Amino acid sequence: MMNPRMARAISFGLIVLALIYSAVLYPHLPDPLPIHWNIRGEVDGWWPRWQGVLLIPALMLVILVLLQTLPKLPISKSSVEAFRATYDYISVIVIALIGYVHGTVLWAAVHPKMDLPRVLLAGVLLFLAAIGNVMGKLRPNRWAGVRTPWTLASEAVWVGTHRFAARIYVVGGVAGAAAVLLGAPWWAAMEIVIPLLLLPIPYSYLLYRRRGD
């Protein structure tokens, strides 16, 4: 069971690993460092090398502090405590996802022939599936979840929508990642996955209307 102390420890460990990884690769990285690719997988943005290796770990630290602070705020404390273990799990996944993006981008800078969009997208979709795995455990709150007028108006609609979203995110994430890794054009996979991931929004409306809340 995830708890705040464990979440902090794992997240901080991921930040340290990102810094160590950056230090190991630093001598082999080009300067300036490619940090953005267009839809065709071509580099169209660069940073000075020192910024490229430090900025994302710094962002991970800022997000960690933010995620650890939000549950302590008076406006969210009572609602977050109802699903605190799930919140902490999602916090770790978010930090890990940012670290994955950082590590993948640096690796692509050292290995320019790598198909970065494909590897990056497959990983992001798997992380999405990991978040979807616990979506059904979210309870009404100010910060996370499918926050539509209909889920916020009815706790039953909230619960039903998030259980539906959990299945959609897991199926969409795993299926999308598999399709990309098996050779499907990454943009084609996204054209299927994105609408799939948006389905919880109209679903929440239909569920609300069906229940008559």
Side-chain angles (χ1 to χ4, degrees):
M1 181 70 69
M2 189 73 69
N3 58 59
R5 180 176 296 180
M6 183 184 300
R8 285 194 297 270
I10 295 174
S11 298
F12 189 74
L14 291 171
I15 295 171
V16 172
L17 285 176
L19 289 171
I20 293 173
Y21 180 81
S22 299
V24 170
L25 285 187
Y26 190 84
H28 309 287
L29 294 171
D31 193 6
L33 183 69
I35 52 88
H36 192 271
W37 285 255
N38 61 28
I39 195 171
R40 295 182 296 275
E42 302 166 344
V43 179
D44 62 359
W46 293 262
W47 276 345
R49 181 170 55 175
W50 68 271
Q51 289 185 11
V53 299
L54 292 178
L55 188 60
I56 300 303
L59 177 63
M60 294 169 68
L61 181 59
V62 170
I63 292 177
L64 171 60
V65 172
L66 179 63
L67 291 173
Q68 290 293 311
T69 301
L70 285 179
K72 300 177 182 178
L73 298 177
I75 60 175
S76 61
K77 186 173 182 179
S78 59
S79 62
V80 171
E81 287 304 320
F83 60 95
R84 185 57 194 261
T86 301
Y87 177 89
D88 290 326
Y89 169 87
I90 293 176
S91 298
V92 171
I93 294 298
V94 169
I95 297 296
L97 172 58
I98 299 171
Y100 173 79
V101 173
H102 174 66
T104 304
V105 168
L106 293 189
W107 188 257
V110 177
H111 301 84
K113 293 185 179 180
M114 171 183 166
D115 190 348
L116 178 66
R118 185 176 301 279
V119 175
L120 195 59
L121 178 59
V124 169
L125 288 170
L126 289 176
F127 277 105
L128 181 65
I131 291 177
N133 186 50
V134 297
M135 283 286 288
K137 299 179 181 179
L138 289 177
R139 292 299 177 263
N141 68 94
R142 293 177 177 269
W143 309 111
V146 184
R147 293 175 49 80
T148 69
W150 312 290
T151 58
L152 296 177
S154 167
E155 184 171 357
V157 173
W158 175 286
V159 172
T161 298
H162 283 77
R163 288 175 177 170
F164 173 76
R167 296 191 293 270
I168 290 297
Y169 283 19
V170 170
V171 171
V174 173
V180 170
L181 292 176
L182 290 174
W186 65 269
W187 51 266
M190 287 305 296
E191 287 182 351
I192 297 173
V193 171
I194 289 179
L196 187 66
L197 299 181
L198 293 176
L199 279 178
I201 297 175
Y203 180 87
S204 68
Y205 171 74
L206 295 174
L207 184 59
Y208 182 83
R209 290 292 301 270
R210 187 176 68 187
R211 290 183 54 84
D213 291 333

